[in-house]
C-alpha cells in the first residue's frame, strides 16, 4: 500500500504502472478449463484473421537472432544509427518541450560533482579499447560467487529471508 501511495500515477520514476507491481492478476492461478477456453478463443481469432505469408516472413526475419527480451543487448547497425540521427537533426524543440525536458531532469544529481580516481579513469580508458580490466583471479572469484541458485546469485540469505522463504514453501 505504501508503494501505491507513493506512486499513484503511471510512469513515476522507474515504474511504468502505478503502484509498482500491484497488478490485479499477480499471483492468480488460472484453472486448466479456463486456460483451455482461452486457447480455443485464440485459435478461433487466428483462424478468422490469418496472417499472410508475407507478414509471417517479416516476423521471422525480425525475430531472427533475438532472445525473448526484445532488443536488450542488441547493437544497432551503423545504418540504423545514422537513420535515427538524420531523423532527429534539424528539428527545433518547442519552448514547451524544452521546459518539460528540464522539469524531468530536475533533481537528477546522481553523479553531480563526482570525480573518479586516477585508477578508475585508467580502467575506463582500457575498457573503451576492449582491454581486460580485471585479473583472471578476480574473474574466477566472481564466477564462483555467482554459481548456485539463480535467485540468490550465490549470496548468502539472511535469517529473515530464509524464514520467509520457508513459510511460503510450507503454504
Amino acid at each position: 500500500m505504501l508503494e501505491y501511495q507513493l506512486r499513484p500515477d503511471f510512469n513515476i520514476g522507474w515504474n511504468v504502472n502505478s503502484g509498482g507491481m500491484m497488478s490485479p492478476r499477480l499471483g492468480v492461478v488460472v484453472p486448466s478449463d479456463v486456460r483451455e477456453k482461452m486457447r480455443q478463443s485464440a485459435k478461433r481469432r487466428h483462424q478468422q484473421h490469418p496472417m499472410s505469408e508475407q507478414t509471417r516472413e517479416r516476423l521471422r526475419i525480425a525475430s531472427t537472432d533475438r532472445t525473448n527480451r526484445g532488443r536488450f543487448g542488441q547493437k544497432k547497425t551503423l545504418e540504423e544509427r545514422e537513420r535515427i540521427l538524420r531523423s532527429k537533426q534539424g528539428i527545433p524543440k518547442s519552448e514547451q518541450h524544452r521546459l518539460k525536458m528540464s522539469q524531468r531532469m530536475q533533481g537528477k544529481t546522481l553523479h553531480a560533482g563526482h570525480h573518479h580516481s586516477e585508477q578508475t579513469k585508467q580502467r575506463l580508458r582500457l575498457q573503451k579499447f576492449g582491454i581486460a580490466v580485471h585479473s583472471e583471479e578476480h574473474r574466477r572469484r566472481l564466477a564462483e560467487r555467482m554459481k548456485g541458485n539463480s535467485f540468490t546469485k550465490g549470496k548468502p540469505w539472511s535469517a529473515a529471508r530464509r524464514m520467509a522463504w520457508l513459510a511460503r514453501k510450507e503454504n
Side-chain angles (χ1 to χ4, degrees), residues 24 30 67 97 141 144 158 170:
V30 181
T67 64
H97 184 72
R141 281 187 305 194
E144 194 65 35
S158 66
E170 288 174 358

Side-chain angles (χ1 to χ4, degrees), residues 43-59:
K43 267 176 91 170
R44 280 193 303 274
R45 195 167 46 247
H46 290 300
Q47 287 170 353
Q48 291 169 354
H49 306 287
M51 257 189 256
S52 69
E53 286 302 316
Q54 184 182 12
T55 303
R56 291 174 70 92
E57 180 64 16
R58 285 181 180 170
L59 286 171

